Amino acid sequence: GGFYCFDLVEAAGLVTQATPYQERRLHLERVWAGWNPSGAIWLLPSMRGAEDKGSLARTILEADGEGVVFKRLAARYTGTDPRTPSKRSGDSFKVKFRKDLDAVVTELRRGGKANMVLSLYDDDGDLVEVGECSAFTGDGATIQAGDVVTVKYQHATADRRLFSATKPKR
């Protein structure tokens, strides 16, 4: 694990949440160049051209990364509506890389939650639990233990658990 820097939200009066992204990024890169941290802290790359963005997205996908975020250069960190000052602006677009699979529902409402426990068959034909996901409104009455459902997930962990599993909306 580690910490990945990708934006500078505020910096001693030089940068505020209203500063356009292009300026925030330049300040972040200047701070980074003077700091040069070592260890588990990295500056995420920023690309401008379509070809470079596509190449970076492929690299992240192949590395089983979470996804990419596209921001307008003039984007503020937050919206301009004074009633919701902490709400992020609509000038960024997040793309999460997801996979899907069919899993067997082996339990419902674990811990009293509106969820379902998901399992897969191993090489010996035994069901092995791989994760949980929410049962969306309207599905509760129709999904039963033993049903097969298609779920989306971000990646599988080293201990073979689904990370960020969700059931697609109908």
Side-chain angles (χ1 to χ4, degrees):
F3 181 75
Y4 296 90
C5 298
F6 58 91
D7 201 346
L8 185 62
V9 180
E10 294 189 17
L14 296 172
V15 175
T16 69
Q17 293 184 10
T19 303
Y21 174 70
Q22 184 171 11
E23 291 179 43
R24 294 195 318 267
R25 180 65 191 208
L26 287 173
H27 282 290
L28 174 60
E29 289 171 358
R30 286 184 192 128
V31 167
W32 193 266
W35 180 27
N36 195 18
S38 60
I41 303 175
W42 300 277
L43 177 64
L44 286 179
S46 177
M47 301 297 170
R48 299 236 170 122
E51 190 173 313
D52 290 338
K53 289 177 185 179
S55 177
L56 178 62
R58 280 188 297 280
T59 299
I60 293 169
L61 179 62
E62 289 167 2
D64 208 19
E66 182 175 331
V68 294
V69 175
F70 298 94
K71 295 184 180 196
R72 296 183 198 276
L73 292 177
R76 297 173 178 217
Y77 186 77
T78 59
T80 56
D81 186 340
R83 295 171 294 171
T84 55
S86 63
K87 184 177 180 183
R88 289 189 181 162
S89 77
D91 288 332
S92 63
F93 182 71
K94 185 185 294 187
V95 177
K96 287 194 172 191
F97 300 133
R98 300 281 196 173
K99 302 168 185 92
D100 64 353
L101 62 78
D102 293 335
V104 178
V105 176
T106 51
E107 185 179 339
L108 294 168
R109 294 176 281 290
R110 180 178 278 178
K113 298 178 184 175
N115 63 358
M116 56 184 109
V117 177
L118 307 169
S119 298
L120 297 174
Y121 287 99
D122 66 11
D123 292 338
D124 297 325
D126 296 322
L127 278 172
V128 177
E129 184 178 318
V130 294
E132 299 177 29
C133 75
S134 296
F136 288 101
T137 304
D139 286 342
T142 60
I143 294 178
Q144 302 295 317
D147 287 351
V148 175
V149 296
T150 300
V151 294
K152 291 196 173 292
Y153 66 101
Q154 200 160 332
H155 65 267
T157 62
D159 61 347
R160 298 182 178 179
R161 301 284 296 177
L162 298 179
F163 179 79
S164 193
T166 59
K167 184 173 179 307
K169 294 181 181 178
R170 292 182 190 213

